mmCIF file of all heavy atoms in Angstrom:
data_model
loop_
_atom_site.group_PDB
_atom_site.id
_atom_site.type_symbol
_atom_site.label_atom_id
_atom_site.label_comp_id
_atom_site.label_asym_id
_atom_site.label_seq_id
_atom_site.Cartn_x
_atom_site.Cartn_y
_atom_site.Cartn_z
ATOM 1 N N ALA K 1 -2.159 5.271 3.439
ATOM 2 C CA ALA K 1 -2.703 6.119 4.495
ATOM 3 C C ALA K 1 -3.251 5.311 5.685
ATOM 4 O O ALA K 1 -3.102 5.741 6.832
ATOM 5 C CB ALA K 1 -3.759 7.066 3.920
ATOM 6 N N ALA K 2 -3.910 4.228 5.378
ATOM 7 C CA ALA K 2 -4.518 3.444 6.457
ATOM 8 C C ALA K 2 -3.400 2.794 7.360
ATOM 9 O O ALA K 2 -3.548 2.734 8.596
ATOM 10 C CB ALA K 2 -5.372 2.297 5.874
ATOM 11 N N GLU K 3 -2.341 2.345 6.743
ATOM 12 C CA GLU K 3 -1.237 1.734 7.517
ATOM 13 C C GLU K 3 -0.561 2.816 8.376
ATOM 14 O O GLU K 3 -0.205 2.592 9.532
ATOM 15 C CB GLU K 3 -0.210 1.137 6.557
ATOM 16 C CG GLU K 3 -0.698 -0.121 5.864
ATOM 17 C CD GLU K 3 0.289 -0.613 4.781
ATOM 18 O OE1 GLU K 3 0.680 0.228 3.946
ATOM 19 O OE2 GLU K 3 0.615 -1.792 4.823
ATOM 20 N N ILE K 4 -0.358 3.970 7.803
ATOM 21 C CA ILE K 4 0.251 5.074 8.568
ATOM 22 C C ILE K 4 -0.617 5.495 9.735
ATOM 23 O O ILE K 4 -0.147 5.665 10.858
ATOM 24 C CB ILE K 4 0.569 6.277 7.610
ATOM 25 C CG1 ILE K 4 1.736 5.900 6.649
ATOM 26 C CG2 ILE K 4 0.917 7.514 8.421
ATOM 27 C CD1 ILE K 4 1.989 6.904 5.596
ATOM 28 N N ALA K 5 -1.908 5.570 9.509
ATOM 29 C CA ALA K 5 -2.839 5.913 10.560
ATOM 30 C C ALA K 5 -2.851 4.837 11.693
ATOM 31 O O ALA K 5 -2.893 5.192 12.866
ATOM 32 C CB ALA K 5 -4.274 6.070 10.047
ATOM 33 N N ARG K 6 -2.708 3.578 11.279
ATOM 34 C CA ARG K 6 -2.639 2.492 12.267
ATOM 35 C C ARG K 6 -1.393 2.613 13.104
ATOM 36 O O ARG K 6 -1.481 2.488 14.360
ATOM 37 C CB ARG K 6 -2.687 1.152 11.560
ATOM 38 C CG ARG K 6 -2.810 -0.030 12.489
ATOM 39 C CD ARG K 6 -2.832 -1.361 11.733
ATOM 40 N NE ARG K 6 -1.468 -1.735 11.447
ATOM 41 C CZ ARG K 6 -0.980 -2.016 10.288
ATOM 42 N NH1 ARG K 6 -1.770 -1.896 9.237
ATOM 43 N NH2 ARG K 6 0.241 -2.324 10.120
ATOM 44 N N PHE K 7 -0.269 2.929 12.500
ATOM 45 C CA PHE K 7 0.975 3.090 13.257
ATOM 46 C C PHE K 7 0.916 4.346 14.158
ATOM 47 O O PHE K 7 1.396 4.276 15.341
ATOM 48 C CB PHE K 7 2.198 3.207 12.341
ATOM 49 C CG PHE K 7 2.734 1.902 11.878
ATOM 50 C CD1 PHE K 7 2.543 1.438 10.573
ATOM 51 C CD2 PHE K 7 3.464 1.083 12.788
ATOM 52 C CE1 PHE K 7 3.084 0.199 10.181
ATOM 53 C CE2 PHE K 7 3.962 -0.132 12.391
ATOM 54 C CZ PHE K 7 3.757 -0.559 11.054
ATOM 55 N N ILE K 8 0.339 5.399 13.710
ATOM 56 C CA ILE K 8 0.249 6.627 14.525
ATOM 57 C C ILE K 8 -0.676 6.342 15.708
ATOM 58 O O ILE K 8 -0.373 6.763 16.863
ATOM 59 C CB ILE K 8 -0.209 7.802 13.701
ATOM 60 C CG1 ILE K 8 0.931 8.232 12.751
ATOM 61 C CG2 ILE K 8 -0.628 8.988 14.589
ATOM 62 C CD1 ILE K 8 0.561 9.310 11.783
ATOM 63 N N GLY K 9 -1.736 5.621 15.480
ATOM 64 C CA GLY K 9 -2.648 5.203 16.630
ATOM 65 C C GLY K 9 -1.906 4.381 17.620
ATOM 66 O O GLY K 9 -2.067 4.546 18.814
ATOM 67 N N ALA K 10 -1.111 3.416 17.101
ATOM 68 C CA ALA K 10 -0.374 2.578 18.000
ATOM 69 C C ALA K 10 0.659 3.341 18.811
ATOM 70 O O ALA K 10 0.896 3.096 20.013
ATOM 71 C CB ALA K 10 0.309 1.411 17.224
ATOM 72 N N LEU K 11 1.295 4.292 18.128
ATOM 73 C CA LEU K 11 2.311 5.156 18.824
ATOM 74 C C LEU K 11 1.659 5.965 19.913
ATOM 75 O O LEU K 11 2.213 6.089 21.053
ATOM 76 C CB LEU K 11 2.996 6.019 17.786
ATOM 77 C CG LEU K 11 4.245 6.826 18.284
ATOM 78 C CD1 LEU K 11 5.285 5.941 18.865
ATOM 79 C CD2 LEU K 11 4.750 7.653 17.114
ATOM 80 N N ALA K 12 0.476 6.533 19.625
ATOM 81 C CA ALA K 12 -0.247 7.303 20.625
ATOM 82 C C ALA K 12 -0.707 6.462 21.792
ATOM 83 O O ALA K 12 -0.829 6.949 22.951
ATOM 84 C CB ALA K 12 -1.466 7.972 19.977
ATOM 85 N N ASP K 13 -0.896 5.162 21.576
ATOM 86 C CA ASP K 13 -1.279 4.258 22.637
ATOM 87 C C ASP K 13 -0.129 3.707 23.501
ATOM 88 O O ASP K 13 -0.329 3.064 24.507
ATOM 89 C CB ASP K 13 -2.092 3.083 22.035
ATOM 90 C CG ASP K 13 -2.897 2.290 23.020
ATOM 91 O OD1 ASP K 13 -3.433 2.871 24.012
ATOM 92 O OD2 ASP K 13 -2.941 1.002 22.871
ATOM 93 N N THR K 14 1.071 3.973 23.065
ATOM 94 C CA THR K 14 2.251 3.402 23.734
ATOM 95 C C THR K 14 2.361 3.790 25.208
ATOM 96 O O THR K 14 2.650 2.903 26.027
ATOM 97 C CB THR K 14 3.531 3.744 22.916
ATOM 98 O OG1 THR K 14 3.447 3.234 21.612
ATOM 99 C CG2 THR K 14 4.770 3.214 23.652
ATOM 100 N N PRO K 15 2.119 5.024 25.576
ATOM 101 C CA PRO K 15 2.184 5.345 27.013
ATOM 102 C C PRO K 15 1.256 4.477 27.858
ATOM 103 O O PRO K 15 1.609 4.033 28.966
ATOM 104 C CB PRO K 15 1.809 6.843 27.092
ATOM 105 C CG PRO K 15 2.182 7.387 25.738
ATOM 106 C CD PRO K 15 1.864 6.251 24.776
ATOM 107 N N ARG K 16 0.053 4.201 27.400
ATOM 108 C CA ARG K 16 -0.888 3.338 28.114
ATOM 109 C C ARG K 16 -0.305 1.914 28.247
ATOM 110 O O ARG K 16 -0.383 1.309 29.282
ATOM 111 C CB ARG K 16 -2.229 3.309 27.418
ATOM 112 C CG ARG K 16 -3.269 2.467 28.181
ATOM 113 C CD ARG K 16 -4.554 2.296 27.353
ATOM 114 N NE ARG K 16 -4.359 1.484 26.174
ATOM 115 C CZ ARG K 16 -4.350 0.162 26.165
ATOM 116 N NH1 ARG K 16 -4.434 -0.531 27.291
ATOM 117 N NH2 ARG K 16 -4.138 -0.497 25.010
ATOM 118 N N LEU K 17 0.254 1.415 27.146
ATOM 119 C CA LEU K 17 0.831 0.081 27.155
ATOM 120 C C LEU K 17 2.048 -0.020 28.156
ATOM 121 O O LEU K 17 2.240 -1.058 28.804
ATOM 122 C CB LEU K 17 1.222 -0.373 25.740
ATOM 123 C CG LEU K 17 0.115 -0.469 24.721
ATOM 124 C CD1 LEU K 17 0.654 -0.890 23.388
ATOM 125 C CD2 LEU K 17 -1.031 -1.311 25.201
ATOM 126 N N VAL K 18 2.827 1.045 28.203
ATOM 127 C CA VAL K 18 3.962 1.045 29.135
ATOM 128 C C VAL K 18 3.423 1.016 30.552
ATOM 129 O O VAL K 18 3.969 0.291 31.406
ATOM 130 C CB VAL K 18 4.816 2.305 28.895
ATOM 131 C CG1 VAL K 18 5.797 2.514 30.038
ATOM 132 C CG2 VAL K 18 5.590 2.176 27.594
ATOM 133 N N GLU K 19 2.312 1.737 30.802
ATOM 134 C CA GLU K 19 1.717 1.680 32.184
ATOM 135 C C GLU K 19 1.243 0.242 32.512
ATOM 136 O O GLU K 19 1.428 -0.218 33.647
ATOM 137 C CB GLU K 19 0.531 2.654 32.231
ATOM 138 C CG GLU K 19 0.876 4.091 32.072
ATOM 139 C CD GLU K 19 0.979 4.832 33.360
ATOM 140 O OE1 GLU K 19 0.494 4.333 34.383
ATOM 141 O OE2 GLU K 19 1.504 5.973 33.325
ATOM 142 N N VAL K 20 0.664 -0.424 31.522
ATOM 143 C CA VAL K 20 0.213 -1.777 31.747
ATOM 144 C C VAL K 20 1.414 -2.704 32.060
ATOM 145 O O VAL K 20 1.367 -3.472 32.991
ATOM 146 C CB VAL K 20 -0.551 -2.339 30.524
ATOM 147 C CG1 VAL K 20 -0.833 -3.819 30.628
ATOM 148 C CG2 VAL K 20 -1.842 -1.580 30.315
ATOM 149 N N ALA K 21 2.462 -2.535 31.288
ATOM 150 C CA ALA K 21 3.691 -3.310 31.520
ATOM 151 C C ALA K 21 4.267 -3.045 32.908
ATOM 152 O O ALA K 21 4.704 -3.945 33.640
ATOM 153 C CB ALA K 21 4.737 -3.067 30.420
ATOM 154 N N LEU K 22 4.319 -1.785 33.307
ATOM 155 C CA LEU K 22 4.845 -1.430 34.601
ATOM 156 C C LEU K 22 4.066 -2.057 35.717
ATOM 157 O O LEU K 22 4.605 -2.408 36.785
ATOM 158 C CB LEU K 22 4.799 0.087 34.779
ATOM 159 C CG LEU K 22 5.963 0.879 34.145
ATOM 160 C CD1 LEU K 22 5.654 2.373 34.135
ATOM 161 C CD2 LEU K 22 7.281 0.610 34.861
ATOM 162 N N ALA K 23 2.730 -2.195 35.530
ATOM 163 C CA ALA K 23 1.863 -2.704 36.563
ATOM 164 C C ALA K 23 2.083 -4.184 36.779
ATOM 165 O O ALA K 23 1.521 -4.761 37.757
ATOM 166 C CB ALA K 23 0.379 -2.413 36.193
ATOM 167 N N ARG K 24 2.830 -4.883 35.981
ATOM 168 C CA ARG K 24 3.071 -6.304 36.059
ATOM 169 C C ARG K 24 4.351 -6.630 36.834
ATOM 170 O O ARG K 24 4.874 -7.708 36.693
ATOM 171 C CB ARG K 24 3.063 -6.922 34.682
ATOM 172 C CG ARG K 24 1.714 -6.710 34.023
ATOM 173 C CD ARG K 24 1.631 -7.333 32.679
ATOM 174 N NE ARG K 24 0.300 -7.132 32.118
ATOM 175 C CZ ARG K 24 -0.081 -7.437 30.925
ATOM 176 N NH1 ARG K 24 0.824 -8.108 30.146
ATOM 177 N NH2 ARG K 24 -1.276 -7.196 30.498
ATOM 178 N N PHE K 25 4.761 -5.718 37.650
ATOM 179 C CA PHE K 25 5.973 -5.850 38.445
ATOM 180 C C PHE K 25 5.988 -7.150 39.236
ATOM 181 O O PHE K 25 7.054 -7.856 39.251
ATOM 182 C CB PHE K 25 6.052 -4.645 39.372
ATOM 183 C CG PHE K 25 7.338 -4.519 40.102
ATOM 184 C CD1 PHE K 25 8.458 -3.983 39.503
ATOM 185 C CD2 PHE K 25 7.455 -4.944 41.428
ATOM 186 C CE1 PHE K 25 9.679 -3.896 40.239
ATOM 187 C CE2 PHE K 25 8.624 -4.823 42.125
ATOM 188 C CZ PHE K 25 9.785 -4.257 41.540
ATOM 189 N N ASP K 26 4.929 -7.507 39.856
ATOM 190 C CA ASP K 26 4.875 -8.687 40.709
ATOM 191 C C ASP K 26 5.058 -9.977 39.886
ATOM 192 O O ASP K 26 5.735 -10.926 40.335
ATOM 193 C CB ASP K 26 3.617 -8.795 41.527
ATOM 194 C CG ASP K 26 3.523 -7.718 42.618
ATOM 195 O OD1 ASP K 26 4.609 -7.220 43.053
ATOM 196 O OD2 ASP K 26 2.419 -7.456 43.100
ATOM 197 N N ALA K 27 4.524 -9.963 38.660
ATOM 198 C CA ALA K 27 4.700 -11.148 37.815
ATOM 199 C C ALA K 27 6.155 -11.326 37.418
ATOM 200 O O ALA K 27 6.677 -12.394 37.371
ATOM 201 C CB ALA K 27 3.806 -11.058 36.603
ATOM 202 N N VAL K 28 6.812 -10.196 37.124
ATOM 203 C CA VAL K 28 8.243 -10.262 36.755
ATOM 204 C C VAL K 28 9.074 -10.674 38.000
ATOM 205 O O VAL K 28 10.020 -11.443 37.884
ATOM 206 C CB VAL K 28 8.737 -8.888 36.247
ATOM 207 C CG1 VAL K 28 10.187 -8.941 35.891
ATOM 208 C CG2 VAL K 28 7.915 -8.445 35.013
ATOM 209 N N ARG K 29 8.698 -10.221 39.145
ATOM 210 C CA ARG K 29 9.343 -10.610 40.384
ATOM 211 C C ARG K 29 9.268 -12.108 40.628
ATOM 212 O O ARG K 29 10.294 -12.768 40.995
ATOM 213 C CB ARG K 29 8.751 -9.903 41.628
ATOM 214 C CG ARG K 29 9.548 -10.237 42.873
ATOM 215 C CD ARG K 29 8.768 -9.943 44.201
ATOM 216 N NE ARG K 29 7.886 -8.824 44.124
ATOM 217 C CZ ARG K 29 8.175 -7.559 44.549
ATOM 218 N NH1 ARG K 29 9.369 -7.351 45.022
ATOM 219 N NH2 ARG K 29 7.262 -6.656 44.480
ATOM 220 N N ASP K 30 8.161 -12.723 40.296
ATOM 221 C CA ASP K 30 8.044 -14.166 40.423
ATOM 222 C C ASP K 30 9.047 -14.921 39.536
ATOM 223 O O ASP K 30 9.656 -15.886 39.994
ATOM 224 C CB ASP K 30 6.601 -14.669 40.032
ATOM 225 C CG ASP K 30 5.577 -14.171 41.022
ATOM 226 O OD1 ASP K 30 5.916 -13.760 42.158
ATOM 227 O OD2 ASP K 30 4.372 -14.167 40.661
ATOM 228 N N VAL K 31 9.268 -14.422 38.337
ATOM 229 C CA VAL K 31 10.257 -15.029 37.433
ATOM 230 C C VAL K 31 11.643 -14.760 37.964
ATOM 231 O O VAL K 31 12.508 -15.699 38.067
ATOM 232 C CB VAL K 31 10.140 -14.440 36.003
ATOM 233 C CG1 VAL K 31 11.205 -14.981 35.114
ATOM 234 C CG2 VAL K 31 8.742 -14.773 35.422
ATOM 235 N N ALA K 32 11.945 -13.545 38.384
ATOM 236 C CA ALA K 32 13.296 -13.186 38.866
ATOM 237 C C ALA K 32 13.684 -14.050 40.068
ATOM 238 O O ALA K 32 14.803 -14.476 40.219
ATOM 239 C CB ALA K 32 13.320 -11.707 39.196
#
């Protein structure tokens, strides 16, 4: 149950993490 709860919490947090990744556009541009 604890592992499942951890995964569900991480899944619920995914939209926020995607927003963080999107905000790093300039860093990706430097590499490109």
Side-chain angles (χ1 to χ4, degrees):
E3 291 171 308
I4 291 171
R6 189 181 81 237
F7 275 108
I8 290 174
L11 189 58
D13 194 37
T14 299
R16 182 187 68 81
L17 299 181
V18 167
E19 297 259 348
V20 171
L22 280 169
R24 297 182 180 176
F25 188 80
D26 289 339
V28 180
R29 184 197 327 263
D30 291 343
V31 175

